Amino acid sequence: MWRRVHHYIVFKIDEKTGLVAVDKVGGAGENYDDLADSLPDDDCRYAIFDFDFVTVPQDLLSLPERRGRLSCFSWH
């Protein structure tokens, strides 16, 4: 199994330089609600969220597996 260091990263475009900058980094104990709470109401942000889930066995010989997927969000 892997060890997660960051659960999500929120990016913004710096108005002065026009470059992409990290706005917030979510720790290993944070979840999707924490990501949603960190997004501003009046500004644009971009985020990558590491989503964990467990597969459902399709037969009696299979075992549940822990999986993860990266999801990208654009917040306007």
Side-chain angles (χ1 to χ4, degrees), residues 22-59:
V22 173
D23 187 43
K24 182 173 193 303
V25 177
E30 296 190 57
N31 59 28
Y32 180 78
D33 292 331
D34 298 315
L35 166 64
D37 290 342
S38 71
L39 299 172
D41 292 331
D42 59 347
D43 204 2
C44 179
R45 292 292 186 273
Y46 305 92
I48 298 175
F49 181 77
D50 193 355
F51 176 70
D52 281 334
F53 60 96
V54 177
T55 61
V56 177
Q58 298 298 315
D59 55 49

Side-chain angles (χ1 to χ4, degrees), residues 1-75:
M1 272 307 144
W2 63 89
R3 185 179 145 246
R4 173 179 289 119
V5 177
H6 305 295
H7 206 87
Y8 64 86
I9 302 175
V10 178
F11 301 95
K12 67 178 180 179
I13 297 177
D14 187 284
E15 293 181 17
K16 294 179 184 176
T17 64
L19 299 174
V20 176
V22 173
D23 187 43
K24 182 173 193 303
V25 177
E30 296 190 57
N31 59 28
Y32 180 78
D33 292 331
D34 298 315
L35 166 64
D37 290 342
S38 71
L39 299 172
D41 292 331
D42 59 347
D43 204 2
C44 179
R45 292 292 186 273
Y46 305 92
I48 298 175
F49 181 77
D50 193 355
F51 176 70
D52 281 334
F53 60 96
V54 177
T55 61
V56 177
Q58 298 298 315
D59 55 49
L60 295 176
L61 300 175
S62 300
L63 295 173
E65 293 182 37
R66 181 179 173 204
R67 301 272 178 112
R69 295 289 186 261
L70 294 178
S71 300
C72 299
F73 296 93
S74 174
W75 178 262

